[in-house]
């Protein structure tokens, strides 16, 4: 009895929507539903916001990874008019491997804000920035620039990504002929984009890419442009951010079409210079990616959403006769009813109400801590290892994001590295992670040479995460963090889930400003800390 008394009763007991889990998709749905005038209860069994999109201390991260690797239990009960389905924990993480080479890190545990779903960045012109502005959640989060982007090779070298005309001109690793080829390609893409936008202007066929080329594989189009392998690799994997080896032919799992490749280049280039105080294309939230779901939770709370943390849902209640969703039962014993239920992907019930995922894909993630940067004067940077750059059978890109203490994610004098790679299985994923780690870092020992040029590895966490798509039914489940660098695909999936829930409601209507201007001023509405 004493255990249930620690949970306060929730009042009211009926809602339009109950959301379980405070990950980014759930928090966005809660904020959008609250903005649309729905009564929303937002629950999370954890003592923190963010779920699988959170930023955690060193000790909390290890505890969370291990606790979500446990095997679930199942249960189902019947009462007079209600079927009670037990909520099971679905393990999303496996093959968790924690390595510590410096015991002193434990005393700094609470000074870390480590992302569970890294590496992640925001492009200045992507959907996440637009949604922050549109929902006005931007007022709850601040950002800093990612200072540079690099492409790495198997010899420990990293070279700048020449992502603009000025960057191409300054790049000392490119030959004069390569600079001309890359600038000519950028000019062609820019001309195509401008021609497509100019609806009332007669289009010059010489400035537009043909429909046939747009439907062809992007790698074929780049070959047609006679771009050398190095330039082609930079465009494909460091600017268009392609996952799979595009030169693998029919064995390539996902082949990027030219039209999609052009769209990705357009996103990258439109992000450069969007905000006057953003120097490049990429930004990152101060205190970690966990600030993003919290920003939308704050927005939802302003609109009347009720929040209760440390409150597990133990059962889903169904109408016995119709089998339709009815409500939930909390760990406190209290039963709540709602018209709709949204659950994060780490919860599942054995029922036709929730579609069980088939052919679950895998993603290998790694977190590393060092006391030095890859480059002496660079705090925050992105490194891409294209396919086959580290070992012959590397079929996918490996992405690494380095962050420094100026982003408040680690103690002063330390750096956090996030690594990710899509994979078919744990063995393949771990091989890629270890290849990147061996190439970038040296391992900390008492005999470590102080003259070692590589950053010394102090701590690492390697793990495999299941990739699960959201599902729609009487009970809606949200997707897990994907393997992309930004949130565009995730936000697109989330908005579709909201429209399935509430087809007659707008997904964050445009904010009406009192100065009769509908448009938000980009330079004043996204705070970039200098």
């Amino acid at each position: 009895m004493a255990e249930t008394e620690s949970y306060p009763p929730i009042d009211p007991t009926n809602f339009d929507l109950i959301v379980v889990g405070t990950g980014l998709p759930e928090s966005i749905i809660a904020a959008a539903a609250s903005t649309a005038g729905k009564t929303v209860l937002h629950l999370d069994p954890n003592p923190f916001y963010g779920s699988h999109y959170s930023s955690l201390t060193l000790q909390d991260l290890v505890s969370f990874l291990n606790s979500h690797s446990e095997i679930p239990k199942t249960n189902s009960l019947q009462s007079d008019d209600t079927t009670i389905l037990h909520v099971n924990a679905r393990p999303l993480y496996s093959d968790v491997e924690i390595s510590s080479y410096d015991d002193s890190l434990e005393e700094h545990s609470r000074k870390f804000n480590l992302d569970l779903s890294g590496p992640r960045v925001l492009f200045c012109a992507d959907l996440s920035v637009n949604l922050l502005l549109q929902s006005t959640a931007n007022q709850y989060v601040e950002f800093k620039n990612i200072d540079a982007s690099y492409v790495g090779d198997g010899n420990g070298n990293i070279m700048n990504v020449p992502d603009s005309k000025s960057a191409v001109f300054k790049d000392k690793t490119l030959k004069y002929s390569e600079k001309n080829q890359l600038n000519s390609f950028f000019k062609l893409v820019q001309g195509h984009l401008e021609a497509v936008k100019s609806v009332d202007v007669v289009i010059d066929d010489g400035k537009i890419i043909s429909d046939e080329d747009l439907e062809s594989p992007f790698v074929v189009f780049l070959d047609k442009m006679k771009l050398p392998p190095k330039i082609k690799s930079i465009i494909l994997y460091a600017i268009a951010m392609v996952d799979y080896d595009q030169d693998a032919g029919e064995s390539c799992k996902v082949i990027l079409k030219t039209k999609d490749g052009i769209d990705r280049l357009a996103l990258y280039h439109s992000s450069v210079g969007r905000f006057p105080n953003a120097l490049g294309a990429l930004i990152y939230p101060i205190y970690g990616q966990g600030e993003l779901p919290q920003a939308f939770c704050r927005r939802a709370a302003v609109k009347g959403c009720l929040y209760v943390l440390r409150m597990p849902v133990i059962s889903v209640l169904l109408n016995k006769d119709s089998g339709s969703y009815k409500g939930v039962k909390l760990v406190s014993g209290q039963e709540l009813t709602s018209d709709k239920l949204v659950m994060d992907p780490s919860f599942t019930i054995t029922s036709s109400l929730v579609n069980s995922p088939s052919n679950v894909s895998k993603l290998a993630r790694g977190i590393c801590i060092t006391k030095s940067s890859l480059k002496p004067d660079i705090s925050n940077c992105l490194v891409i290892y294209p396919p086959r750059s580290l070992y012959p059978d590397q079929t996918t890109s490996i992405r690494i994001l380095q962050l420094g203490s100026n982003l408040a994610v680690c103690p002063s004098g330390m750096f956090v590295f996030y690594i990710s790679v899509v994979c078919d299985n744990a063995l393949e994923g771990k091989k890629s992670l270890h290849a990147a780690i061996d190439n970038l870092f040296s391992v900390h020992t008492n005999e470590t040479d102080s003259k070692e040029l590589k950053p010394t590895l102090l701590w690492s966490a390697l793990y495999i995460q299941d990739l699960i798509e959201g599902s729609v039914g009487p009970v809606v489940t949200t997707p897990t963090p994907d393997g992309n660098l930004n949130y565009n695909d995730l936000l697109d999936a989330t908005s579709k889930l909201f429209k399935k829930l509430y087809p007659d409601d707008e997904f964050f209507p445009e904010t009406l400003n009192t100065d009769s201007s509908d448009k938000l001023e980009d330079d004043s509405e996204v705070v970039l800390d200098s």
Side-chain angles (χ1 to χ4, degrees):
M1 185 69 180
E3 184 176 342
T4 59
E5 286 178 350
S6 64
Y7 294 99
I10 294 174
D11 184 47
T13 59
N14 179 260
F15 299 86
D16 294 324
L17 173 67
I18 292 177
V19 181
V20 182
T22 54
L24 186 59
E26 304 91 72
S27 300
I28 291 172
I29 289 173
S34 299
T35 301
K38 312 300 180 186
T39 56
V40 182
L41 172 65
H42 204 167
L43 304 169
D44 198 312
N46 299 301
F48 53 82
Y49 290 90
S51 189
H52 302 286
Y53 300 80
S54 60
S55 301
L56 301 174
T57 67
L58 202 64
Q59 291 179 348
D60 288 345
L61 176 95
V62 174
S63 297
F64 190 85
L65 287 174
N66 288 325
S67 67
H68 282 259
S69 302
E70 297 172 356
I71 303 299
K73 300 177 181 179
T74 59
N75 192 18
S76 180
L77 302 172
Q78 299 278 349
S79 65
D80 291 341
D81 60 350
T82 303
T83 299
I84 303 172
L85 297 177
H86 187 73
V87 174
N88 302 314
R90 174 191 285 157
L92 297 183
Y93 307 108
S94 60
D95 297 272
V96 178
E97 179 184 337
I98 309 295
S99 301
S100 180
Y101 306 99
D102 189 337
D103 295 337
S104 67
L105 278 185
E106 293 184 9
E107 64 188 69
H108 300 293
S109 172
R110 306 208 67 81
K111 294 181 181 179
F112 287 95
N113 289 304
L114 302 176
D115 297 341
L116 272 166
S117 60
R120 290 278 185 185
V121 294
L122 283 70
F123 289 80
C124 289
D126 70 13
L127 293 179
S128 52
V129 172
N130 293 339
L131 186 61
L132 284 166
L133 293 169
Q134 186 177 340
S135 65
T136 70
N138 57 294
Q139 62 188 296
Y140 304 114
V141 60
E142 296 184 8
F143 299 88
K144 274 187 179 290
N145 293 289
I146 297 300
D147 303 319
S149 294
Y150 302 102
V151 174
D153 64 23
N155 299 319
N157 302 312
I158 56 175
M159 61 173 285
N160 282 293
V161 174
D163 52 12
S164 65
K165 286 185 178 180
S166 61
V168 172
F169 178 76
K170 295 176 183 177
D171 196 299
K172 296 179 180 179
T173 64
L174 295 176
K175 299 176 182 177
Y176 181 75
S177 59
E178 292 173 331
K179 291 183 178 183
N180 283 338
Q181 287 174 303
L182 193 52
N183 273 330
S184 296
F185 178 75
F186 286 156
K187 187 176 180 180
L188 172 66
V189 172
Q190 187 64 34
H192 170 81
L193 294 171
E194 290 175 355
V196 170
K197 288 181 181 178
S198 304
V199 180
D200 299 326
V201 179
V202 177
I203 297 176
D204 181 355
D205 289 341
K207 291 185 176 180
I208 192 167
I209 301 170
S210 70
D211 289 341
E212 182 181 354
D213 283 335
L214 290 174
E215 290 299 321
S216 71
F218 195 30
V219 66
V220 172
F221 179 70
L222 296 179
D223 286 335
K224 184 178 179 180
M225 295 294 102
K226 295 182 169 46
L227 293 175
K230 182 169 73 172
I231 300 298
K232 189 174 71 171
S233 180
I234 289 172
I235 292 171
L236 283 171
Y237 305 109
I239 298 179
M241 302 296 175
V242 179
D243 282 320
Y244 292 96
D245 184 359
Q246 298 297 290
D247 287 312
E250 294 182 358
S251 64
C252 179
K253 285 192 174 182
V254 180
I255 296 177
L256 185 73
K257 288 186 176 182
T258 299
K259 62 179 180 180
D260 298 320
I262 297 299
D263 287 342
R264 294 191 185 192
L265 297 189
L267 169 63
Y268 198 107
H269 288 295
S270 61
S271 294
V272 178
R274 178 181 183 182
F275 303 114
N277 51 350
L279 301 179
L282 310 176
I283 56 177
Y284 182 90
I286 298 175
Y287 299 109
Q289 294 290 345
E291 293 297 293
L292 296 179
Q294 289 190 69
F296 285 100
C297 287
R298 291 185 180 114
R299 179 60 184 158
V302 168
K303 292 295 183 179
C305 179
L306 178 61
Y307 278 87
V308 184
L309 300 183
R310 300 182 178 87
M311 184 60 77
V313 170
I314 60 171
S315 304
V316 171
L317 310 179
L318 310 181
N319 288 306
K320 188 175 182 180
D321 294 333
S322 65
S324 60
Y325 165 74
K326 179 179 179 181
V328 298
K329 184 175 182 179
L330 307 179
V331 69
S332 63
Q334 186 178 11
E335 295 185 0
L336 305 172
T337 57
S338 65
D339 296 331
K340 299 180 185 297
L341 174 65
V342 172
M343 302 178 72
D344 100 9
S346 58
F347 306 112
T348 185
I349 54 177
T350 307
S351 168
S352 59
L353 291 180
V354 176
N355 299 321
S356 299
S358 57
N359 299 322
V360 175
S361 301
K362 303 287 185 180
L363 181 71
R365 296 194 191 273
I367 306 172
C368 298
I369 298 172
T370 73
K371 281 189 176 180
S372 59
S373 169
L374 292 175
K375 294 277 189 178
D377 300 324
I378 299 293
S379 290
N380 312 308
C381 65
L382 178 69
V383 181
I384 307 293
Y385 285 104
R388 291 179 285 123
S389 61
L390 288 179
Y391 54 94
D393 57 343
Q394 177 196 341
T395 59
T396 57
S397 296
I398 302 172
R399 302 187 183 110
I400 298 99
L401 179 65
Q402 172 192 295
L403 302 174
S405 59
N406 65 341
L407 279 163
V409 297
C410 60
S412 178
M414 292 188 184
F415 295 86
V416 176
F417 292 79
Y418 297 105
I419 311 172
S420 74
V421 57
V422 292
C423 57
D424 290 329
N425 53 63
L427 187 64
E428 178 186 291
K430 288 290 186 72
K431 180 178 180 179
S432 295
L433 293 180
H434 283 294
I437 290 171
D438 292 343
N439 193 63
L440 287 173
F441 312 123
S442 61
V443 177
H444 177 82
T445 64
N446 293 331
E447 292 79 25
T448 297
D449 185 356
S450 61
K451 295 181 181 180
E452 175 65 63
L453 296 178
K454 291 182 178 181
T456 301
L457 187 62
L458 305 180
W459 183 94
S460 67
L462 310 182
Y463 50 101
I464 305 299
Q465 179 212 303
D466 286 351
L467 292 173
I468 300 173
E469 296 181 354
S471 66
V472 177
V475 174
V476 170
T477 58
T478 55
T480 57
D482 59 26
N484 296 329
L485 196 60
N486 69 356
Y487 292 103
N488 276 10
D489 289 351
L490 192 80
L491 296 186
D492 182 59
T494 301
S495 65
K496 288 177 180 176
L497 290 178
F498 177 82
K499 294 307 293 183
K500 290 287 186 179
L501 284 166
Y502 300 110
D504 298 327
D505 290 298
E506 191 173 354
F507 185 65
F508 291 113
E510 291 287 346
T511 303
L512 297 177
N513 296 329
T514 56
D515 61 357
S516 75
S517 173
D518 295 314
K519 299 184 72 175
L520 293 161
E521 295 295 330
D522 288 347
D523 59 342
S524 62
E525 294 296 339
V526 169
V527 180
L528 285 134
D529 183 41
S530 58

